[in-house]
Amino acid sequence: MKVWQTKTMTMNTILAQVCLLGHLLLAWTEPIPASEFGMNGDFFIGGLFGIHQVSHSLSQDRPETITCSSQPFILSSYRRFQMMRFSVEEINNSTNLLPGVTLGYKIFDHCSDIQNFPGIFNLISVNGFIQPWNEFLKNTSKMIAVVGTYTSTATLGFAPLFMTDLIPLISYGASSSVFSRKQHFPSFLRTIHPNTDVIKVVLMILEEFNWRWVSFLHVDDDYGRDGRDLFIKSIEETHICLAYTKGLDTFTNYTKTFQLMESLRVNVTIVFAAEWTAEALIKAAIKHNITNKVWIAVDAWTLHKKLPKENEIRKIGTIVGIAEPIKAIPGFSDFIYSFKAQYQQNQQKEVKLCNHICNCTNVTAEDIINADPSFSFSVYSAVYAIAHALHTVLQCGDGKCNSNASVHPHMILKELRRSNFTLLNQRVQFDENGDPMYGSYSIVFWNQNGDVEEVGFYNFPPSFQFFINKSKIKWHENGEVPVSICSQECSEGYAKEQRETHKCCFSCAMCQRGTYINSTGK
């Protein structure tokens, strides 16, 4: 059935559906109204940030977009949103990178993984096809790249739209390993390491403490399932066994989940989830009186600001995590204080477009500055990578740029792939898959004061290093490293008898007389 023959879809519904993507792809040449979501410039960068988050399934009887401002507000994402604004302003105030050229932006609140673009393929297709860019047609769009979005599921949903015209899409949070496949995502790059790297560090932590019997809880989406699959594959040739795995969503029965974990005597649990899912899990563990466990947090929630200070958080055990190193970005705090001072007087004049409403007047400058800083440098470096690519395409140098140079997204993509610049003492480069060839992880634990304390690090190759200062971690079991195994090793004179499918679970049977050899003896 053709799109325009669908009788049940009113014109208002169609306009609502295409609003968000329409602004991103079609309206870049129109003046942008005054708003913290948009700013005019010679060239535009698109931005997708989940300032609000749909955390549950919405019941709908017709296709329509979601009013994002009606959903729960995510302060950490709002901080990243402001980081993009700051990055563009900093570049525009510099006379070195793009002299005489200004960057503009148009940012949208992408609050749902799957419901912000209902029926979008049908809406932009002609006879079932999406028309690719044609160099013989006039291309008046000044949008050169898009930064976003945070989740893998959302990115999977709309990334093909940008891949069609080789529009660079640089994600600061989508870490699913699928995006490394350039045959499917040719114009996708990211400034965050893929799940493959995160799982590698998780495995090194498990081996460091000899934890062999673990559970793996993950958010039940593309990001979480990708992490689970990578983990299962990574432990195939190791002594580590997966006792239990479970996908978490808003309908998870935590009572049953914790009962199963207790029955399996699992003492170490990897939590591969977004911050809001991890928050629900940890609060449920406190409520269900789960005690003396080790919880391994991944970078999506390790630097959570409120959870480490939650009442009775200490009773659930010890939380060890992997996080991006906290990198101070000079000038950001001053930008936020200045922005908040102007925001109150300007907000009444703003023209509100779809997905351009925050409803966050109660958020103070201190709230933004002190929010979870995760992925801030990822946003910062994504914007700078685009600016450096534009610098090359415009042949900038000697205090000026070539205003007559042709600029198209695929040209920016070509230079993005060649990125090689230094930002805050960090060399920024991408490999052939569009993944970052730089960076490190901090190994942290949540201490008794409710603070995140760094206890180690992992540096990515070529300067490969891994270290944990075990003496800094205050364990919940009298200071001793907790044990998590299915079966104790057999004593001399006893042999393992496999009793389950897991190689970690066995019983010990006495060796028959004359069959025992002490292979360790001289």
Side-chain angles (χ1 to χ4, degrees):
M1 181 178 290
K2 294 291 193 297
V3 173
W4 306 111
Q5 293 175 337
T6 306
K7 298 179 181 179
T8 58
M9 296 177 64
T10 66
M11 182 57 70
N12 288 337
T13 300
I14 292 172
L15 290 175
Q17 287 181 326
V18 24
C19 183
L20 181 55
L21 196 71
H23 280 299
L24 268 176
L25 294 179
L26 304 176
W28 292 93
T29 57
E30 298 178 2
I32 296 177
S35 167
E36 64 176 314
F37 287 86
M39 184 175 73
N40 280 309
D42 297 317
F43 298 93
F44 293 103
I45 301 176
L48 293 169
F49 293 81
I51 298 172
H52 300 83
Q53 174 63 30
V54 176
S55 57
H56 58 280
S57 299
L58 297 177
S59 177
Q60 292 179 301
D61 56 6
R62 63 179 183 177
E64 56 187 353
T65 54
I66 296 167
T67 303
C68 287
S69 57
S70 67
Q71 303 301 313
F73 176 72
I74 306 297
L75 181 59
S76 58
S77 191
Y78 187 61
R79 187 187 198 275
R80 293 186 281 270
F81 163 84
Q82 295 295 346
M83 183 60 68
M84 176 171 172
R85 298 181 64 245
F86 164 73
S87 304
V88 172
E89 182 170 300
E90 185 177 68
I91 291 168
N92 286 341
N93 289 336
S94 169
T95 58
N96 298 323
L97 192 52
L98 294 171
V101 176
T102 57
L103 283 178
Y105 56 78
K106 203 159 195 178
I107 309 175
F108 291 88
D109 184 0
H110 192 82
C111 62
S112 171
D113 283 341
I114 59 175
Q115 290 173 282
N116 269 135
F117 300 108
I120 199 65
F121 283 106
N122 284 337
L123 292 171
I124 66 172
S125 66
V126 178
N127 295 325
F129 293 95
I130 297 175
Q131 180 65 44
W133 178 82
N134 189 324
E135 62 181 334
F136 298 107
L137 299 176
K138 287 187 177 181
N139 183 5
T140 57
S141 173
K142 292 184 179 180
M143 187 191 69
I144 56 175
V146 176
V147 175
T149 182
Y150 180 58
T151 69
S152 294
T153 296
T155 305
L156 279 168
F158 67 76
L161 301 174
F162 298 100
M163 304 300 107
T164 301
D165 287 345
L166 291 181
I167 298 171
L169 179 63
I170 308 183
S171 178
Y172 54 86
S175 58
S176 174
S177 62
V178 70
F179 297 115
S180 296
R181 303 172 188 169
K182 290 304 100 179
Q183 66 270 34
H184 297 145
F185 301 95
S187 63
F188 179 91
L189 302 95
R190 53 183 157 198
T191 49
I192 178 179
H193 283 271
N195 286 344
T196 310
D197 292 336
V198 179
I199 292 299
K200 184 186 300 181
V201 181
V202 168
L203 193 64
M204 295 175 80
I205 293 173
L206 296 178
E207 291 175 338
E208 183 76 10
F209 295 105
N210 198 30
W211 291 325
R212 301 184 179 185
W213 187 236
V214 302
S215 57
F216 193 99
L217 303 182
H218 61 91
V219 58
D220 195 15
D221 64 8
D222 297 281
Y223 161 72
R225 290 188 290 270
D226 181 65
R228 174 203 62 197
D229 294 344
L230 290 169
F231 180 74
I232 291 172
K233 185 176 181 180
S234 72
I235 64 174
E236 286 178 353
E237 303 300 324
T238 71
H239 296 294
I240 299 167
C241 294
L242 180 58
Y244 177 70
T245 184
K246 171 71 176 174
L248 308 175
D249 56 29
T250 53
F251 305 106
T252 297
N253 184 334
Y254 285 108
T255 300
K256 184 177 180 180
T257 297
F258 293 137
Q259 285 176 346
L260 279 168
M261 290 170 62
E262 289 291 339
S263 67
L264 291 167
R265 296 176 289 109
V266 182
N267 292 328
V268 174
T269 298
I270 299 136
V271 182
F272 204 92
E275 58 185 285
W276 43 87
T277 304
E279 183 176 328
L281 169 69
I282 296 302
K283 287 183 177 180
I286 295 172
K287 179 181 177 180
H288 286 77
N289 200 33
I290 304 301
T291 59
N292 299 330
K293 306 294 183 185
V294 175
W295 308 82
I296 299 179
V298 294
D299 51 345
W301 68 280
T302 296
L303 299 183
H304 198 294
K305 288 295 185 177
K306 294 182 179 179
L307 268 183
K309 302 183 187 299
E310 191 76 19
N311 288 336
E312 299 184 291
I313 185 73
R314 242 45 70 196
K315 77 175 185 179
I316 70 170
T318 305
I319 297 180
V320 178
I322 301 165
E324 280 189 339
I326 300 175
K327 190 183 290 286
I329 298 179
F332 179 66
S333 295
D334 292 339
F335 169 82
I336 294 300
Y337 281 117
S338 176
F339 155 70
K340 290 302 291 185
Q342 298 174 21
Y343 178 73
Q344 203 71 33
Q345 61 187 30
N346 291 339
Q347 63 170 331
Q348 298 301 324
K349 304 175 185 178
E350 291 182 4
V351 178
K352 302 293 187 181
L353 302 175
C354 66
N355 295 60
H356 272 194
I357 303 173
C358 181
N359 288 343
C360 45
T361 54
N362 294 329
V363 178
T364 67
E366 289 76 14
D367 290 335
I368 300 171
I369 293 166
N370 297 324
D372 182 348
S374 299
F375 312 109
S376 291
F377 184 75
S378 297
V379 173
Y380 188 64
S381 55
V383 175
Y384 264 88
I386 295 168
H388 275 274
L390 181 60
H391 171 97
T392 303
V393 173
L394 288 175
Q395 304 161 13
C396 299
D398 298 325
K400 61 181 180 179
C401 298
N402 182 2
S403 59
N404 295 320
S406 296
V407 179
H408 295 295
H410 69 276
M411 298 177 180
I412 300 296
L413 174 63
K414 180 179 179 180
E415 298 305 327
L416 277 170
R417 290 168 174 164
R418 299 174 175 175
S419 294
N420 190 352
F421 62 93
T422 300
L423 186 63
L424 299 183
N425 298 318
Q426 176 68 69
R427 176 63 57 181
V428 176
Q429 293 177 282
F430 301 98
D431 64 17
E432 65 276 9
N433 297 321
D435 296 330
M437 291 175 60
Y438 58 89
S440 61
Y441 281 127
S442 294
I443 311 300
V444 303
F445 97 104
W446 294 5
N447 65 26
Q448 298 297 315
N449 299 322
D451 297 320
V452 177
E453 182 178 343
E454 186 171 345
V455 296
F457 58 84
Y458 173 86
N459 290 335
F460 287 96
S463 59
F464 170 77
Q465 286 180 304
F466 175 71
F467 171 75
I468 298 179
N469 188 342
K470 299 178 183 179
S471 64
K472 279 190 172 185
I473 304 177
K474 309 303 178 186
W475 300 103
H476 56 270
E477 292 186 346
N478 302 318
E480 298 294 326
V481 177
V483 175
S484 191
I485 57 176
C486 183
S487 302
Q488 292 283 352
E489 288 298 318
C490 298
S491 304
E492 290 185 5
Y494 288 81
K496 293 180 181 179
E497 285 190 351
Q498 209 73 37
R499 68 168 188 258
E500 295 182 21
T501 56
H502 291 294
K503 58 180 177 287
C504 299
C505 303
F506 49 84
S507 57
C508 297
M510 183 179 292
C511 298
Q512 296 180 7
R513 180 174 296 181
T515 63
Y516 168 61
I517 299 176
N518 184 0
S519 59
T520 61
K522 293 184 179 179

